[in-house]
Amino acid sequence: MSVAAHIRFVLVGTQHPGNIGAAARAMKTMGLGRLVLVAPEKPLDEFALRRSAGAEDLLDAAPVVATLAEAVADCRLVLGCTARARRVQLEELLPELAAQRAVAKAAEPAEVAFVFGRERTGLTNEELQLCHLAVHIPSNPEFSSLNLAAAVQVLAYEVRMATLEGQAQPQRDPEHGEEPASHSQLEGLFGQFGETLEQIDFHKGRAPESAMRKLRRLFMKADLSEQEVRLLRGILADAQRMARLAGAGGN
Ligand code: SAH
């Protein structure tokens, strides 16, 4: 089963059915299918259907329960989305990190819920206490509250990104020398770099250590493959050969 199958979005006490439809659409665009409604103020209506824009399968499948506790009873990770900093002592995460934690948990597999509050008043403190962590989209502190479906979209997007990162194909092709270079291969490259810089008189009296430190940092950051190390060493070998020829010519 896919990771998404273990992640539900719970909307608590939603006031406008249109927002539920828009939330369903936001979820479906990001590959999420499990919507749970806790005591919505009004039943789903034509506004919900219209704003779902083709995601009515999520609306049809959405269980309606009476309390948040019921909605998350089987969850091992519950993330409460809040527009404001609360008094409740919960660790507060950025959406990206929250999504990474959610996807990691769902992959175990374990059930995970993102919880969203009422349009007017958000989640109560009691509801937030049912959550393991709070998630805050770092919005304008003076105008911090997103539309419910917009907040759902942000979190659904982050969950998708975290899922795609988990599935990322290895970019290297081991058949063609694209294995990451080993430590000793890199040391070989750095050694040859040091010799070559001497031979082409790069340092001109300056201490060689500073240039070598910078080059090391550059190549460490570059995450070189074996093939790339071979290419660089080939270029250095030619530079060394040319330096030797120039030296011989000068004598
Ligand atoms: N006036 C309410 C805002 C409700 S907006 C309040 O101040 O709490 C409806 C829901 O969207 C919120 O309960 C929350 O779940 C989500 N939401 C809105 N803005 C958010 C933000 N900046 N970060 C995280 N969730 C947010």
Side-chain angles (χ1 to χ4, degrees):
M1 234 198 314
S2 75
V3 162
H6 297 286
I7 299 178
R8 74 193 69 171
F9 275 31
V10 180
L11 307 187
V12 180
T14 311
Q15 284 146 338
H16 302 290
N19 279 336
I20 300 178
R25 176 186 189 177
M27 289 173 64
K28 191 168 177 179
T29 56
M30 296 296 125
L32 294 171
R34 293 185 56 206
L35 178 63
V36 178
L37 306 176
V38 176
E41 272 196 10
K42 295 184 202 139
L44 294 175
D45 59 11
E46 66 187 286
F47 294 107
L49 204 61
R50 223 181 290 156
R51 300 268 317 270
S52 78
E56 62 256 36
D57 50 331
L58 270 69
L59 299 179
D60 291 343
V64 180
V65 298
T67 63
L68 177 58
E70 250 178 275
V72 299
D74 58 335
C75 288
R76 299 254 308 280
L77 178 61
V78 180
L79 299 133
C81 301
T82 66
R84 305 173 269 166
R86 296 287 176 146
R87 289 170 295 278
V88 178
Q89 295 295 307
L90 280 185
E91 188 189 347
E92 191 177 282
L93 299 180
L94 290 171
E96 184 180 4
L97 198 58
Q100 285 165 0
R101 293 241 197 135
V103 167
K105 184 55 86 177
E108 283 184 12
E111 292 298 306
V112 176
F114 283 91
V115 182
F116 298 84
R118 299 156 188 83
E119 290 90 330
R120 255 194 314 278
T121 53
L123 295 166
T124 64
N125 283 344
E126 291 67 35
E127 285 161 348
L128 268 173
Q129 303 217 29
L130 297 176
C131 302
H132 298 98
L133 296 163
V135 187
H136 177 63
I137 300 162
S139 45
N140 176 359
E142 274 123 49
F143 195 74
S144 66
S145 170
L146 279 75
N147 165 266
L148 171 60
V152 166
Q153 185 75 76
V154 171
L155 270 304
Y157 168 75
E158 291 293 356
V159 167
R160 183 159 185 83
M161 290 304 287
T163 310
L164 293 177
E165 274 158 29
Q167 292 168 354
Q169 296 297 314
Q171 286 174 359
R172 303 183 187 273
D173 177 359
E175 300 281 295
H176 297 94
E178 292 184 17
E179 286 285 305
S182 69
H183 205 268
S184 68
Q185 284 167 332
L186 285 176
E187 287 306 319
L189 171 68
F190 298 148
Q192 191 177 356
F193 240 110
E195 288 168 17
T196 310
L197 294 185
E198 298 281 348
Q199 288 160 4
I200 65 173
D201 193 25
F202 175 77
H203 302 301
K204 303 187 184 59
R206 291 173 302 226
E209 289 77 20
S210 156
M212 278 315 299
R213 235 188 345 264
K214 288 175 188 152
L215 284 170
R216 268 178 179 273
R217 198 171 55 192
L218 169 66
F219 288 122
M220 288 299 196
K221 212 162 46 179
D223 191 22
L224 296 173
S225 67
E226 293 183 344
Q227 194 183 43
E228 289 161 339
V229 167
R230 277 201 298 276
L231 173 66
L232 286 168
R233 293 200 65 163
I235 294 170
L236 292 175
D238 274 357
Q240 289 178 298
R241 188 169 52 79
M242 297 305 279
R244 269 196 302 277
L245 285 175
N251 283 339

